[in-house]
Amino acid sequence: MRATRGAVLVLTVAVLVGCSKSTRPPATAAPFRVEVKAVERHSALTAMKMVITTTGDQPASGDFGYDGLRGQSVSFGRFRLLDPVAGKVYLTLREKDANGLAFGTRHPVTQGILPDEFRPGVRYPVEVYSPPLPADVGRVSLVPDLPMAPMTGLPVIPGASGPVAKERVSDKATAILDDPYARPARGPTPPSRRSASWGTPTARATTPTTRTAGSLGWQRGEDRLRVDFHLFYRDGAYRVASFDVVSDGAQRLIPVPAPFNGWDSAFSSGADFGAFMLVDPATKTRCHPLKMYTEFVENWVPALDHGMTGRGYVYYPAPADNVSSVTLEAENLGQVGNILIT
């Protein structure tokens, strides 16, 4: 953590991502360290400044955070910002149209069509650009479309200098969150900007706890997975389910089709973790993953070798303030009861 411009604090939040051996830090499957240096407010856009480093001993594939065809994209389009009070996800800005490359830093391509590898020990500065945030938004969350945990409570600060890339902005970059998925009752009123339940404006960002609340198993043929659910936590008007997906099978898991997509439910059809529903033990209200248009605020299960782990998360509508625990029901798998909400 370091202070800049008087009382404004810029946080460094690190998360290890990618696949990992479940018994030790992820050092054998191209793990990455992501440091968010700043989320800056500019007149025409929001600039998120990061440093990305591979913590492995060998060069790592250059398509980390890729946007589009794996192994061919050079832009970092999978880093999304969430305003958890207003219920908006800010997608990366695009060149020319919604299908263009993400606006911001490009990973270099020295030869051919594949981006260069990330070299061990090298710190790569990355800027990702999103639509401008409203003036009253003081904090946002990073909700990546990657197998890594969200980062909540990131402060938004005034930009010290203009963005590196030329401003070429596409439309349809802001998604309004659709929330018809709490049944039978509507969810609670979202907290205001001043609500203590969302957090006072202190210089702090959070990442989820890894304390295990319970586990469920999944099997398809020779493929076997164990899902270790951690304590859930609140983020503004939402709650976040955090868990590790561990490969217990003897061979590499190729997650096609997605193991937990839950196509049997009309509310969360197409979600990577649509099979996971949260139930209020008192009211029996059932909540499905949070949806934005045709996508969901979640990540996905990566390919996993035996013993490797992928970090998963899903956003759901938040329960009432007096609800301190929920039950997770997994379609055709069972349930984990009394998962605390921190």
Side-chain angles (χ1 to χ4, degrees), residues 94-240:
R94 304 285 172 169
E95 289 191 349
K96 299 179 181 179
D97 57 39
N99 295 317
L101 292 177
F103 180 49
T105 301
R106 296 282 188 267
H107 198 58
V109 179
T110 302
Q111 59 183 358
I113 61 173
L114 300 179
D116 295 352
E117 293 179 319
F118 288 91
R119 291 178 294 166
V122 177
R123 294 168 57 84
Y124 294 86
V126 172
E127 294 190 13
V128 177
Y129 304 136
S130 305
L133 295 167
D136 63 340
V137 175
R139 289 178 180 271
V140 293
S141 299
L142 171 61
V143 288
D145 187 16
L146 292 165
M148 62 178 281
M151 301 181 188
T152 65
L154 298 172
V156 181
I157 65 173
S161 59
V164 174
K166 180 181 177 182
E167 296 184 11
R168 288 185 290 175
V169 178
S170 67
D171 58 3
K172 299 181 181 179
T174 304
I176 306 296
L177 293 180
D178 200 0
D179 188 6
Y181 305 105
R183 296 292 187 270
R186 294 180 60 188
T189 302
S192 68
R193 299 276 178 210
R194 298 179 181 274
S195 172
S197 64
W198 183 57
T200 54
T202 57
R204 184 185 179 198
T206 59
T207 53
T209 177
T210 55
R211 174 180 164 188
T212 301
S215 301
L216 290 174
W218 171 94
Q219 183 169 357
R220 181 170 62 202
E222 298 298 318
D223 294 329
R224 290 186 296 125
L225 296 173
R226 186 184 78 247
V227 185
D228 296 332
F229 293 95
H230 306 308
L231 302 187
F232 296 170
Y233 58 98
R234 296 177 186 266
D235 186 15
Y238 308 107
R239 61 186 149 183
V240 186

Side-chain angles (χ1 to χ4, degrees), residues 50-75:
M50 304 179 290
V51 173
I52 296 176
T53 312
T54 177
T55 58
D57 297 329
Q58 301 296 322
S61 173
D63 57 17
F64 172 73
Y66 72 94
D67 178 60
L69 294 177
R70 185 173 180 82
Q72 297 184 20
S73 176
V74 295
S75 63

Side-chain angles (χ1 to χ4, degrees), residues 9 20 48 64 71 115 136 148 152 160 237 240 259 271 311 314 324:
L9 294 177
S20 67
M48 182 168 62
F64 172 73
D136 63 340
M148 62 178 281
T152 65
V240 186
R311 171 57 57 87
V314 187
S324 59

Side-chain angles (χ1 to χ4, degrees), residues 253-278:
L253 170 82
I254 304 298
V256 179
F260 307 111
N261 61 11
W263 283 102
D264 292 343
S265 171
F267 295 116
S268 51
S269 176
D272 280 271
F273 295 111
F276 297 162
M277 292 176 287
L278 302 189

